[in-house]
């Protein structure tokens, strides 16, 4: 009788162990599936930079503003985003010399200056015409004066922003980059910014850098003329605003706010 009881106890232990092992295996498999899904769902963000490097007829150089690229770039990169950088012409994206001076230095620009991989990406950007909105979760445009001359009128850029918007994906811009919205239409055929809360480099900030009569148009004026509900803070104050999937920042100091709003939108 004791032998039978012992056998029953042993069998019970074996069955319980087998069940626990199966349960643990299922948990492990589920965990692996979760990790795999997270890996597959890695944020993919397209950065669009200017190819234009001439500041009107001044004989001076322009391009993109380093801080407006660097802060959003590292904010997203540090959260695991996969970032692709494109320009209208491809190849090296011009850096505005003024943004690469000691006076304009920040923690993020210093990081960029020491980042060989990031610098290589800037030196070898993709061709904008080869980019497809279907391959990305969001698009971000850093500023600098360059976009006023090329991205504002670039048909490929305009079509790309319209596609991102049609897909209800985040479209983000900072400082002069909202210039790229000049010819962009919404799904209703009206200017995309019409009736939208928006900001961008102010007329008074442009006056402060003495380029009012150099640039082809003023960002603030253009956004208002296209029906945008434009708002701003005092010159050089950090300010960003979001209206649906449209995110805009006023000036270089607003880059971090734009990046944070973009990350929050991607994590919804």
């Amino acid at each position: 009788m004791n032998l039978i009881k012992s056998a029953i106890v042993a069998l019970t232990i074996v069955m319980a162990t087998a069940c626990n092992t199966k349960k643990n295996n299922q948990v492990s498999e589920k965990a692996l599936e979760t990790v795999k899904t997270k890996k597959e769902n890695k944020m993919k963000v397209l950065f669009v930079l200017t190819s234009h490097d001439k500041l009107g007829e001044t004989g001076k150089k322009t391009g993109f503003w380093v801080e407006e690229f660097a802060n959003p770039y590292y904010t997203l990169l540090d959260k695991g985003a996969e970032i692709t950088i494109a320009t209208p012409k491809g190849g090296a994206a011009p850096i505005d010399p003024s943004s690469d001076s000691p006076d304009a230095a920040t923690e993020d620009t210093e990081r960029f200056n020491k980042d060989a991989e990031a610098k290589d990406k800037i030196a070898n950007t993709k061709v904008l015409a080869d980019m497809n909105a279907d391959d990305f979760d969001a698009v971000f445009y850093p500023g600098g004066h360059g976009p006023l001359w090329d991205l504002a009128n670039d048909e490929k850029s305009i079509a790309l922003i319209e596609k991102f918007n049609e897909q209800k994906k985040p479209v983000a811009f900072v400082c002069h980059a909202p210039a790229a919205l000049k010819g962009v239409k919404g799904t209703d055929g009206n200017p995309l910014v019409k009736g939208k809360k928006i900001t961008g480099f102010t007329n008074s900030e442009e006056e402060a850098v003495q380029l009012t009569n150099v640039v082809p148009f003023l960002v603030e004026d253009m956004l208002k003329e296209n029906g945008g509900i434009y708002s701003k803070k005092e010159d050089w104050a950090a300010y960003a605003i979001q209206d649906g999937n449209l995110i805009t920042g006023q000036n270089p100091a607003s880059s971090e706010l734009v990046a944070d709003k973009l990350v929050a939108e991607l994590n919804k």
Side-chain angles (χ1 to χ4, degrees):
M1 191 69 176
N2 288 336
L3 185 61
I4 294 173
K5 286 182 178 180
S6 297
I8 292 173
V9 170
L11 183 60
T12 301
I13 292 172
V14 170
M15 290 179 67
T17 301
C19 287
N20 285 333
T21 300
K22 184 178 180 181
K23 185 177 180 180
N24 288 335
N25 286 339
Q26 289 175 338
V27 170
S28 297
E29 288 173 4
K30 189 173 182 180
L32 285 171
E33 287 176 3
T34 300
V35 170
K36 185 178 179 182
T37 300
K38 285 183 176 179
K39 189 173 182 181
E40 290 175 348
N41 291 340
K42 188 174 185 179
M43 294 183 293
K44 294 183 178 180
V45 182
L46 176 64
F47 275 45
V48 179
L49 278 68
T50 181
S51 287
H52 189 84
D53 67 351
K54 292 182 177 62
L55 191 59
E57 302 300 321
T58 64
K60 296 179 180 179
K61 293 292 187 180
T62 188
F64 74 90
W65 200 264
V66 179
E67 168 62 8
E68 295 168 23
F69 163 81
N71 181 279
Y73 178 79
Y74 290 118
T75 296
L76 287 157
L77 192 71
D78 291 347
K79 293 188 180 300
E82 182 181 313
I83 299 171
T84 300
I85 304 172
T87 56
K89 295 181 180 179
I95 293 175
D96 188 310
S98 298
S99 72
D100 200 25
S101 66
D103 291 343
T106 66
E107 185 178 330
D108 293 301
T109 62
E110 292 291 343
R111 181 176 173 182
F112 172 71
N113 286 332
K114 299 173 183 176
D115 189 340
E117 184 176 347
K119 285 197 164 190
D120 183 67
K121 287 183 179 180
I122 291 297
N124 298 280
T125 67
K126 307 292 185 183
V127 177
L128 185 59
D130 295 336
M131 299 298 102
N132 189 328
D134 296 340
D135 299 329
F136 302 96
D137 302 306
V139 65
F140 170 68
Y141 283 65
H145 283 89
L148 292 165
W149 277 274
D150 63 353
L151 293 173
N153 308 300
D154 189 282
E155 292 183 3
K156 298 296 182 182
S157 175
I158 291 169
L160 191 69
I161 297 170
E162 290 177 345
K163 188 66 174 179
F164 271 98
N165 182 62
E166 182 185 320
Q167 296 176 346
K168 303 186 187 309
K169 294 175 179 177
V171 288
F173 310 80
V174 67
C175 199
H176 285 89
L181 292 165
K182 186 171 181 281
V184 177
K185 304 293 185 184
T187 53
D188 60 359
N190 291 313
L192 178 62
V193 304
K194 186 176 182 179
K196 299 278 186 69
K197 296 175 182 177
I198 195 164
T199 190
F201 204 62
T202 70
N203 289 352
S204 54
E205 286 170 331
E206 201 69 82
E207 184 66 33
V209 297
Q210 300 179 14
L211 292 173
T212 301
N213 297 319
V214 173
V215 295
F217 62 91
L218 297 172
V219 173
E220 179 180 339
D221 285 354
M222 179 274 291
L223 293 173
K224 289 177 178 177
E225 288 165 5
N226 278 3
I229 304 172
Y230 183 87
S231 61
K232 60 184 177 181
K233 284 192 175 181
E234 62 273 16
D235 289 358
W236 317 117
Y239 179 58
I241 192 166
Q242 180 173 357
D243 193 329
N245 62 324
L246 176 62
I247 303 167
T248 49
Q250 179 178 319
N251 48 36
S254 310
S255 302
E256 183 174 0
L257 295 178
V258 171
D260 289 343
K261 288 181 180 295
L262 180 53
V263 169
E265 188 67 18
L266 284 168
N267 286 329
K268 279 185 177 180

